[in-house]
Amino acid sequence: MIPRRRFLALSACAAVLARPAVAAAPHHRWSGQALGADVTLTVAGGSERQARAFFAESARALRAIEAQFSLFRGSDLMRLNALGHLPHPSDDMRDLLTLAGRVHAATGGAFDPTVQPLWQARRLGGDETAARALAGWGDVALREDEIRLPRPGMALTLNGIAQGLAADRLAEVAARHGLSDLLIDAGELRAVGPTGWTARIEEPGGDAAARLVLSDRALATSAPLGTRIGPRGDRPHILAADGRPAQWRLASVSAPTAAVADALSTAAVLMDRPAIDRALAQFPGARVEALLPL
């Protein structure tokens, strides 16, 4: 659950299924970065003034997301991991951890943000058994006024869900600016409005795994070997707190929100198909778009 290679290749224009008036409208684009991923915003229609205002507020919103969830930039999450507690957490932090808990329960523990010490041990070639003893989502105390990690050495990563939250927050920004037809690519995708956007889901080697059209929907894709870690660079970067092995070389999930799609695709690579289906059934509108076996 770290910043992973993205496996989504998007068309530069609206799909054939888009409304003709929208397909012919000018597109406004902006690019930036957040949470280790490139961010691209493409607005179909709308005035240039609206687009500029949206892009400016989006840049501020992304800085706020980084300030909360980055593992590298003095964020709230870094303070939580360093101190073992975070007083007065933001609404976004509480909301994201609440959703993480729902996905953890739905996936039978496959999605577990407390895997961070285990990930670090794998990256450095350390003792994974000792690191695994620090995991345990059920031990995380989430209260209105504080988040607490009870055991020294516990740490969270939200990189399997925070990119999705970023896309969802940018959709809210767009609505405030009266924009209702756009594509948000913040590492995970969120299509807003009636325009259909063609997405090609790619394997790490570049082969196409699936194609689909996104409209008012989000899409996230995970591949455990898309990024390899460890001293020899040969270990999968998505791993389970309980030691279960990956089941799929690629899992792609779509859902009404990007945070849900992000978390479910991360967990799906560690689950068999019946377990995936049971988990997705707890999130209305979520569905599998691609699963490739190892």
Side-chain angles (χ1 to χ4, degrees), residues 145-198:
D145 62 344
E146 184 186 45
I147 301 165
R148 183 169 289 275
L149 307 178
R151 296 193 300 281
M154 285 188 76
L156 305 184
T157 173
L158 296 171
N159 286 335
I161 189 171
Q163 286 181 349
L165 176 74
D168 293 333
R169 289 294 178 264
L170 295 183
E172 294 170 4
V173 173
R176 289 198 291 272
H177 289 275
L179 298 171
S180 58
D181 239 341
L182 66 150
L183 179 71
I184 298 163
D185 179 356
E188 316 305 342
L189 303 180
R190 176 78 184 265
V192 177
T195 296
W197 302 88
T198 301

Coordinates of all heavy atoms in Angstrom, one line a residue, residues 145-198:
D145 N -11.6 13.3 19.0 CA -10.6 14.3 19.4 C -9.2 13.7 19.3 O -8.2 14.5 19.5 CB -10.8 14.8 20.8 CG -10.7 13.7 21.9 OD1 -10.8 12.5 21.5 OD2 -10.6 14.0 23.1
E146 N -9.0 12.4 18.9 CA -7.7 11.9 18.9 C -7.6 10.6 18.1 O -8.6 9.8 18.1 CB -7.1 11.6 20.3 CG -5.7 11.1 20.3 CD -5.3 10.8 21.7 OE1 -6.0 10.1 22.4 OE2 -4.1 11.2 22.1
I147 N -6.5 10.3 17.4 CA -6.2 9.0 16.9 C -5.0 8.5 17.6 O -4.0 9.2 17.8 CB -5.9 9.1 15.4 CG1 -7.1 9.7 14.6 CG2 -5.6 7.7 14.8 CD1 -6.8 10.1 13.2
R148 N -5.0 7.2 18.0 CA -3.9 6.7 18.8 C -3.5 5.3 18.3 O -4.4 4.5 18.0 CB -4.3 6.6 20.3 CG -3.2 6.2 21.2 CD -3.5 6.4 22.7 NE -3.5 7.8 23.1 CZ -2.5 8.4 23.4 NH1 -1.3 7.8 23.5 NH2 -2.6 9.7 23.8
L149 N -2.2 5.2 18.2 CA -1.6 3.9 17.9 C -1.0 3.3 19.2 O 0.0 3.9 19.7 CB -0.5 4.0 16.8 CG -0.9 4.7 15.6 CD1 0.3 4.9 14.6 CD2 -2.1 4.0 14.9
P150 N -1.5 2.2 19.7 CA -1.2 1.9 21.1 C 0.2 1.3 21.3 O 0.7 1.3 22.5 CB -2.3 0.9 21.5 CG -2.7 0.3 20.2 CD -2.6 1.4 19.2
R151 N 0.8 0.7 20.3 CA 2.1 0.0 20.5 C 3.2 0.8 19.9 O 3.1 1.2 18.7 CB 2.0 -1.4 20.0 CG 1.0 -2.3 20.7 CD 1.2 -3.8 20.3 NE 1.1 -4.0 18.9 CZ -0.1 -4.1 18.3 NH1 -1.2 -3.9 18.9 NH2 -0.2 -4.4 17.0
P152 N 4.3 1.0 20.6 CA 5.5 1.7 20.0 C 5.9 0.9 18.7 O 6.0 -0.3 18.7 CB 6.5 1.6 21.1 CG 5.8 1.4 22.3 CD 4.6 0.6 22.0
G153 N 6.1 1.7 17.7 CA 6.5 1.1 16.4 C 5.4 0.9 15.4 O 5.7 0.7 14.2
M154 N 4.2 1.0 15.9 CA 3.1 0.9 14.9 C 3.1 2.1 14.0 O 3.5 3.2 14.4 CB 1.7 0.9 15.7 CG 1.4 -0.4 16.3 SD -0.4 -0.5 17.0 CE -1.3 -0.7 15.4
A155 N 2.6 1.9 12.8 CA 2.6 3.0 11.8 C 1.5 2.7 10.8 O 1.3 1.5 10.5 CB 3.9 3.3 11.2
L156 N 0.9 3.7 10.2 CA -0.1 3.6 9.2 C 0.5 4.1 7.8 O 1.3 5.0 7.8 CB -1.3 4.4 9.5 CG -2.0 4.2 10.8 CD1 -3.3 5.0 10.9 CD2 -2.3 2.7 11.1
T157 N 0.0 3.5 6.8 CA 0.1 4.0 5.4 C -1.3 4.1 4.9 O -2.1 3.2 5.0 CB 1.0 3.2 4.5 OG1 0.9 3.7 3.2 CG2 0.5 1.7 4.5
L158 N -1.6 5.3 4.2 CA -2.9 5.4 3.6 C -2.8 5.6 2.1 O -3.7 6.1 1.4 CB -3.6 6.7 4.2 CG -3.9 6.5 5.7 CD1 -4.4 7.8 6.3 CD2 -4.9 5.4 5.9
N159 N -1.7 5.1 1.6 CA -1.4 5.3 0.1 C -2.2 4.3 -0.7 O -2.2 4.5 -1.9 CB 0.1 5.1 -0.2 CG 0.9 6.3 0.3 OD1 0.4 7.4 0.4 ND2 2.2 6.0 0.6
G160 N -2.9 3.4 -0.1 CA -3.9 2.6 -0.9 C -5.3 3.1 -0.9 O -6.2 2.4 -1.4
I161 N -5.5 4.3 -0.4 CA -6.8 4.9 -0.4 C -6.8 6.4 -0.5 O -7.8 7.0 -1.0 CB -7.5 4.5 1.0 CG1 -9.0 4.9 1.0 CG2 -6.8 5.1 2.2 CD1 -9.7 4.3 2.2
A162 N -5.7 7.1 -0.2 CA -5.6 8.6 -0.1 C -5.6 9.2 -1.5 O -6.2 10.3 -1.7 CB -4.4 9.1 0.6
Q163 N -5.0 8.5 -2.5 CA -5.1 9.0 -3.9 C -6.6 9.1 -4.4 O -7.0 10.0 -5.0 CB -4.3 8.2 -4.8 CG -2.8 8.4 -4.7 CD -1.9 7.6 -5.6 OE1 -2.5 6.7 -6.3 NE2 -0.7 7.9 -5.7
G164 N -7.3 8.1 -4.0 CA -8.7 8.1 -4.3 C -9.5 9.2 -3.6 O -10.3 9.9 -4.3
L165 N -9.2 9.4 -2.4 CA -9.8 10.6 -1.7 C -9.4 11.9 -2.4 O -10.3 12.8 -2.5 CB -9.3 10.6 -0.2 CG -9.8 11.8 0.6 CD1 -11.3 11.7 0.9 CD2 -9.0 12.1 1.8
A166 N -8.2 12.0 -2.8 CA -7.8 13.3 -3.5 C -8.7 13.5 -4.8 O -9.2 14.6 -5.0 CB -6.3 13.2 -4.0
A167 N -8.9 12.4 -5.5 CA -9.8 12.6 -6.7 C -11.2 12.9 -6.3 O -11.9 13.8 -7.0 CB -9.8 11.2 -7.5
D168 N -11.7 12.4 -5.2 CA -13.1 12.7 -4.8 C -13.2 14.1 -4.3 O -14.2 14.8 -4.6 CB -13.5 11.8 -3.7 CG -13.7 10.3 -4.1 OD1 -14.0 10.1 -5.3 OD2 -13.5 9.4 -3.3
R169 N -12.2 14.6 -3.6 CA -12.2 16.0 -3.2 C -12.1 17.0 -4.3 O -12.8 18.0 -4.3 CB -11.0 16.3 -2.2 CG -11.2 15.6 -0.9 CD -12.3 16.2 -0.1 NE -12.5 15.5 1.2 CZ -13.4 14.5 1.4 NH1 -14.2 14.1 0.4 NH2 -13.5 14.0 2.6
L170 N -11.4 16.6 -5.4 CA -11.4 17.5 -6.6 C -12.7 17.5 -7.3 O -13.1 18.5 -7.9 CB -10.2 17.1 -7.5 CG -8.8 17.2 -6.9 CD1 -7.8 16.8 -8.0 CD2 -8.5 18.6 -6.4
A171 N -13.4 16.4 -7.3 CA -14.8 16.4 -7.8 C -15.7 17.4 -7.1 O -16.5 18.1 -7.7 CB -15.4 15.0 -7.8
E172 N -15.5 17.5 -5.7 CA -16.3 18.4 -5.0 C -15.9 19.9 -5.3 O -16.8 20.7 -5.4 CB -16.1 18.1 -3.5 CG -16.6 16.8 -3.0 CD -16.2 16.5 -1.6 OE1 -15.5 17.3 -1.0 OE2 -16.5 15.3 -1.2
V173 N -14.6 20.1 -5.5 CA -14.1 21.4 -5.9 C -14.8 21.8 -7.3 O -15.2 22.9 -7.4 CB -12.6 21.5 -6.0 CG1 -12.1 22.8 -6.6 CG2 -12.0 21.3 -4.6
A174 N -14.8 20.9 -8.2 CA -15.4 21.2 -9.5 C -16.8 21.6 -9.4 O -17.3 22.5 -10.1 CB -15.2 19.9 -10.4
A175 N -17.6 20.9 -8.5 CA -19.0 21.2 -8.4 C -19.2 22.6 -7.8 O -20.1 23.3 -8.2 CB -19.6 20.2 -7.4
R176 N -18.3 23.0 -6.9 CA -18.4 24.4 -6.4 C -18.2 25.5 -7.5 O -18.6 26.6 -7.4 CB -17.4 24.6 -5.3 CG -17.7 23.9 -4.0 CD -17.0 24.4 -2.8 NE -15.6 24.1 -2.9 CZ -15.0 23.1 -2.4 NH1 -15.8 22.1 -1.8 NH2 -13.7 22.9 -2.4
H177 N -17.5 25.1 -8.6 CA -17.2 26.0 -9.7 C -18.2 25.8 -10.8 O -17.9 26.4 -11.9 CB -15.7 25.9 -10.1 CG -14.8 26.4 -9.1 ND1 -14.4 27.8 -9.1 CD2 -14.1 25.8 -8.1 CE1 -13.6 27.9 -8.1 NE2 -13.4 26.8 -7.5
G178 N -19.2 25.1 -10.6 CA -20.2 24.9 -11.6 C -19.8 24.0 -12.8 O -20.4 24.1 -13.9
L179 N -18.8 23.2 -12.6 CA -18.3 22.3 -13.7 C -18.8 20.9 -13.4 O -18.7 20.4 -12.4 CB -16.8 22.3 -13.7 CG -16.1 23.6 -13.9 CD1 -14.6 23.6 -13.7 CD2 -16.4 24.1 -15.4
S180 N -19.4 20.4 -14.5 CA -20.1 19.1 -14.3 C -19.7 18.1 -15.4 O -20.4 17.0 -15.5 CB -21.6 19.3 -14.4 OG -22.0 19.9 -15.6
D181 N -18.6 18.3 -16.1 CA -18.2 17.4 -17.1 C -16.7 17.4 -17.1 O -16.0 18.3 -17.7 CB -18.7 17.8 -18.5 CG -19.5 16.7 -19.2 OD1 -19.4 15.5 -18.7 OD2 -20.3 17.0 -20.1
L182 N -16.0 16.5 -16.5 CA -14.6 16.5 -16.4 C -14.0 15.1 -16.0 O -14.8 14.2 -15.5 CB -14.1 17.5 -15.3 CG -14.4 17.2 -13.9 CD1 -13.4 17.8 -13.0 CD2 -15.8 17.9 -13.6
L183 N -12.7 15.0 -16.2 CA -12.0 13.7 -15.8 C -10.9 14.2 -14.9 O -10.1 15.0 -15.2 CB -11.4 13.0 -17.0 CG -10.6 11.8 -16.7 CD1 -11.6 10.7 -16.3 CD2 -9.8 11.3 -17.9
I184 N -10.9 13.5 -13.7 CA -9.8 13.7 -12.7 C -9.0 12.5 -12.7 O -9.4 11.4 -12.4 CB -10.5 14.0 -11.3 CG1 -11.4 15.2 -11.4 CG2 -9.4 14.1 -10.2 CD1 -12.3 15.3 -10.2
D185 N -7.7 12.7 -12.9 CA -6.7 11.6 -12.8 C -5.7 12.0 -11.7 O -4.8 12.8 -11.9 CB -6.0 11.4 -14.2 CG -4.9 10.3 -14.1 OD1 -4.7 9.7 -13.0 OD2 -4.3 10.0 -15.2
A186 N -5.9 11.4 -10.5 CA -5.0 11.7 -9.4 C -4.3 10.5 -8.9 O -4.0 10.3 -7.8 CB -5.8 12.3 -8.2
G187 N -3.9 9.6 -9.9 CA -3.4 8.3 -9.6 C -4.5 7.3 -9.7 O -4.3 6.1 -10.1
E188 N -5.7 7.7 -9.2 CA -6.9 6.9 -9.5 C -7.8 7.9 -10.3 O -7.7 9.1 -10.2 CB -7.6 6.5 -8.2 CG -6.7 5.9 -7.2 CD -5.8 4.7 -7.6 OE1 -6.1 4.1 -8.7 OE2 -4.8 4.4 -7.0
L189 N -8.8 7.3 -11.0 CA -9.6 8.1 -11.9 C -11.0 8.4 -11.3 O -11.6 7.6 -10.6 CB -9.8 7.4 -13.2 CG -8.5 7.0 -14.0 CD1 -8.9 6.3 -15.2 CD2 -7.7 8.2 -14.2
R190 N -11.5 9.6 -11.6 CA -12.9 10.0 -11.2 C -13.4 10.8 -12.4 O -13.0 11.9 -12.7 CB -12.9 10.8 -10.0 CG -14.3 11.3 -9.6 CD -15.2 10.3 -8.9 NE -16.5 10.8 -8.6 CZ -16.9 11.4 -7.4 NH1 -16.0 11.4 -6.4 NH2 -18.1 11.8 -7.3
A191 N -14.4 10.2 -13.1 CA -15.1 10.8 -14.2 C -16.4 11.4 -13.7 O -17.1 10.8 -13.0 CB -15.4 9.8 -15.3
V192 N -16.6 12.7 -14.0 CA -17.8 13.4 -13.5 C -18.6 13.9 -14.7 O -18.0 14.5 -15.7 CB -17.3 14.7 -12.7 CG1 -18.6 15.5 -12.2 CG2 -16.5 14.2 -11.5
G193 N -19.9 13.6 -14.7 CA -20.8 14.1 -15.7 C -21.0 13.2 -16.8 O -20.6 12.0 -16.8
P194 N -21.7 13.6 -17.9 CA -22.2 12.7 -18.9 C -21.2 12.3 -20.0 O -21.4 11.3 -20.7 CB -23.3 13.5 -19.6 CG -22.9 15.0 -19.4 CD -22.2 15.0 -18.0
T195 N -20.0 13.0 -20.1 CA -19.1 12.6 -21.1 C -18.5 11.2 -20.7 O -18.2 11.0 -19.6 CB -17.9 13.6 -21.1 OG1 -18.4 14.9 -21.6 CG2 -16.8 13.2 -22.1
G196 N -18.4 10.4 -21.7 CA -17.7 9.1 -21.5 C -16.2 9.2 -21.8 O -15.9 9.7 -22.9
W197 N -15.4 8.8 -20.9 CA -13.9 8.8 -21.1 C -13.4 7.4 -21.3 O -13.6 6.5 -20.5 CB -13.3 9.5 -19.9 CG -13.7 10.9 -19.7 CD1 -14.8 11.2 -18.9 CD2 -13.2 12.1 -20.2 NE1 -15.0 12.6 -18.9 CE2 -14.0 13.1 -19.7 CE3 -12.1 12.4 -21.0 CZ2 -13.7 14.5 -20.0 CZ3 -11.9 13.7 -21.3 CH2 -12.7 14.7 -20.8
T198 N -12.7 7.2 -22.4 CA -12.2 5.8 -22.7 C -10.9 5.6 -21.8 O -10.0 6.4 -21.8 CB -11.8 5.7 -24.1 OG1 -12.9 5.9 -24.9 CG2 -11.2 4.3 -24.4

